[in-house]
Amino acid sequence: MAFDLDALNREIGHDPLAITEFALGLDQKAICTTNFRPFEAVILHLVTRVRPDIPIVWMDSGYNTPATYRFAEELTKRLDLNLTIYHPHRSRAHRESVEGPTPEIDDPRHATFTEEVKLEPFRRALAETAPDIWFTALRAEDTMERSRMQPLSRNADGLLKVAPVLHWTAKQMYQYLQQHDLPNNFDYFDPTKVEEKRECGLHLQH
């Protein structure tokens, strides 16, 4: 199905629900990825209110905070998420027994660490779920790279990449949570990014 992404981004690019309804209205295989970071309840509520059984994919590195795991459990039950979890081939205990603690971001080994705990599990998830459409909670405020992205785009894999809340501010995200009485999680840490404004590489590759 052919459509003008530029025109759509102009017309509905600032309306998360309209973007979500458009993409899911294409009746193609869709997934939504999550990491249960702050404000993730927004994207998960958006996609499941339009398609309750949409597959939700979580690449759990094994390095999440206890609060993040509790939040994931709470939100999965609350929204009845159709959740599939992808883990690295080695557990955190296994990896650290052999490799030692998580390397710092200026350590050359950090790229290998990111590949193992996030990028490879994501490629495996894409291969196994084989989606046509990928929903993500990217926001332009997050990083400079993301500020240059569009809510609807085609990525290098040929997927329709959908970022419904790309143009929303933290205030708008908070208001959505309040409006729908949704929980939040601020006790979150991503060892592949470390710094809040740093890219892990997943959205640069895909």
Side-chain angles (χ1 to χ4, degrees):
M1 183 182 298
F3 41 81
D4 187 336
L5 289 178
D6 290 335
L8 285 165
N9 282 319
R10 288 192 299 270
E11 293 166 11
I12 62 174
H14 288 77
D15 186 338
L17 182 57
I19 295 170
T20 303
E21 290 175 335
F22 164 77
L24 291 179
L26 296 173
D27 198 29
Q28 295 181 320
K29 190 172 183 181
I31 65 168
C32 177
T33 55
T34 185
N35 50 17
F36 294 104
R37 66 173 181 159
F39 298 120
E40 282 293 288
V42 175
I43 184 74
L44 295 172
H45 184 265
L46 271 171
V47 296
T48 56
R49 68 190 282 192
V50 178
R51 184 180 293 179
D53 63 347
I54 184 173
I56 308 298
V57 174
W58 180 22
M59 278 69 66
D60 174 16
S61 66
Y63 288 79
N64 286 292
T65 65
T68 297
Y69 287 113
R70 290 191 293 269
F71 177 65
E73 288 287 321
E74 177 186 4
L75 205 54
T76 298
K77 293 175 182 176
R78 172 81 175 273
L79 300 179
D80 193 24
L81 299 179
N82 179 17
L83 179 67
T84 301
I85 305 173
Y86 285 84
H87 297 101
H89 288 300
R90 294 190 294 181
S91 69
R92 176 176 180 175
H94 182 169
R95 196 207 145 272
E96 291 188 346
S97 295
V98 177
E99 309 286 349
T102 306
E104 300 293 331
I105 57 174
D106 57 355
D107 187 321
R109 298 175 301 157
H110 193 271
T112 302
F113 169 77
T114 299
E115 168 66 24
E116 178 175 357
V117 305
K118 180 178 281 188
L119 302 183
E120 186 283 325
F122 180 67
R123 288 196 301 273
R124 190 168 6 117
L126 285 184
E128 292 182 8
T129 59
D132 302 300
I133 300 169
W134 168 27
F135 281 87
T136 173
L138 293 179
R139 289 197 302 122
E141 287 186 339
D142 291 340
T143 68
M144 183 63 70
E145 289 83 359
R146 296 177 186 191
S147 72
R148 294 191 287 264
M149 295 179 179
Q150 294 294 330
L152 293 163
S153 62
R154 287 280 179 195
N155 72 1
D157 304 306
L159 298 176
L160 178 62
K161 187 173 181 178
V162 185
V165 296
L166 184 73
H167 294 310
W168 266 17
T169 63
K171 181 178 180 180
Q172 289 172 300
M173 300 290 278
Y174 176 77
Q175 289 172 335
Y176 187 97
L177 294 180
Q178 294 293 300
Q179 179 184 355
H180 297 282
D181 190 28
L182 294 167
N184 206 357
N185 169 42
F186 285 108
D187 186 3
Y188 174 80
F189 177 71
D190 183 347
T192 67
K193 294 179 64 175
V194 183
E195 299 170 354
E196 185 178 357
K197 296 293 184 179
R198 182 176 182 274
E199 287 287 352
C200 67
L202 189 153
H203 289 284
L204 300 181
Q205 294 184 16
H206 300 277

